[in-house]
Amino acid sequence: MRSVLPRLVYVQEVARNYDVAGEFVLLPWVESNFRPVGSGPRRQSAGMWQIVPSTAGAIGLHLNNQYDGRFDIPAATHAVMKLLEQYHQQFGDWRVVDYAYNAGEFAVRRVIRAHGLPPAQPTIPDWPIRKVTREHLTKLLAIACVVRDPQRFAITLPTLPPDERLVQTALPHPMSYQQAASRAGMSVADLKHLNAGFRGQTMDPGVASYLVLPARHARRFHDVSLQAALEDKTELSQPHSTQVATGMATPPPAMNRTYRVRAGDSLWKIARDHAVQVRQLQRWNRLTGSSLKPGQTLVVAAPN
C-alpha cells in the first residue's frame, strides 16, 4: 500500500472539494492499483482512473499527440470527482453511481427503465447486470471496509510524511524530462511516473502548466528553477563585449549544438523542441527580434 499512498492521499484531498462518498477515493485501487497504466490495442481505457477516450472528451480531458489528460493526476481526478457528483445527482444512490462508472451511464439508465432503482438496503443491488460490474462494486466496498476498520483485519495502515505528499509546481518553460528530474533531484523514471500526461521528450507549459511532484522535490525544483531564472536575468543585463558592439561577434565554440532553421520554424517552436527559453536562443545567437530565415544556423545549447 505504501507505493500507492501518495496518489491515494492526493485523491482524498481533491475529493474534499466535491460531494462524493468517501469510498470513491479508493476507486483507482479497483481500476488500476493507482498505477498510470496505458491501454492495449483492444482496451482503450488509460490512466489510474481507466478512462476511455469518449469519456475523456465528455468530461473535458484533452487527448492529442503532445498530451493525454487521462494520465494527468490533478486534471483527471477533478474531472472524475465532478462526474461522480453528477451521477449521484441523477441516480441518488452511490451503488448505482459505481455501476454507472464501470458500465456506463446509458447502460445503467436502461436497467433503471426496465427494473427501477434498487431498494435502499446496504446490499449489492440484485440487478441483471454484467458480472464484472457487480464485482467492481463488491471490490470497492470490500477495500473500503478494510481501510475503515483495519484493526478488524489485523492490518496497520501506513501514514504519509508531509514531504512525500504530492503537490503541483509551476513548469516555467519547456524542458526535457532529464532537465526537470535533475532540478527536482529525482530519477527520470519517477518523474515520468507522476507526469505521464506529457507525451514525447519535452514537457511544455503550453500543454500543461504544472508538474506533480512530492513536496520536498517540488521545493527543490522551484528553488533551482528560480536560481536559473535569476542567472539568466543577470546575463541579459550584462553589457556585450567590444567585439559584439562593433558587429564582430565571436563564433560559438565548436562543441555547441546547432540547428538549421527550416521553413515554418519559429523561435518558440525551436526553444520548445530543445527545452530552452526563447530569450536564451536570442542571447546565444545575438538576435534582437524573432525573425528567422530558412537555412540559418542557430546555437541551441548554452556556450561552454
Side-chain angles (χ1 to χ4, degrees), residues 73-129:
I73 296 174
T77 301
H78 280 280
V80 168
M81 287 297 161
K82 185 176 180 179
L83 177 67
L84 296 173
E85 193 176 57
Q86 291 171 347
Y87 280 167
H88 190 254
Q89 291 170 357
Q90 295 178 41
F91 304 123
D93 188 317
W94 287 112
R95 298 169 300 172
V96 178
V97 170
D98 184 77
Y99 276 5
Y101 190 84
N102 179 260
E105 175 186 354
F106 298 108
V108 167
R109 285 184 179 278
R110 286 195 296 270
V111 176
I112 292 175
R113 284 197 297 269
H115 303 276
L117 286 166
Q121 299 174 355
T123 58
I124 303 298
D126 186 18
W127 269 4
I129 201 161

Side-chain angles (χ1 to χ4, degrees), residues 150-167:
Q151 292 182 346
R152 176 183 172 189
F153 300 92
I155 292 175
T156 301
L157 299 179
T159 57
L160 186 68
D163 273 357
E164 295 182 19
R165 289 176 178 265
L166 299 182
V167 298

Side-chain angles (χ1 to χ4, degrees), residues 266-304:
S266 67
L267 274 182
W268 180 86
K269 178 180 182 298
I270 296 171
R272 180 198 64 190
D273 291 346
H274 292 85
V276 298
Q277 299 178 55
V278 169
R279 65 172 179 265
Q280 289 176 312
L281 289 179
Q282 291 173 320
R283 183 173 72 253
W284 298 335
N285 294 279
R286 312 293 189 250
L287 300 175
T288 58
S290 58
S291 298
L292 298 174
K293 296 180 180 179
Q296 182 178 359
T297 298
L298 296 180
V299 176
V300 293
N304 296 323

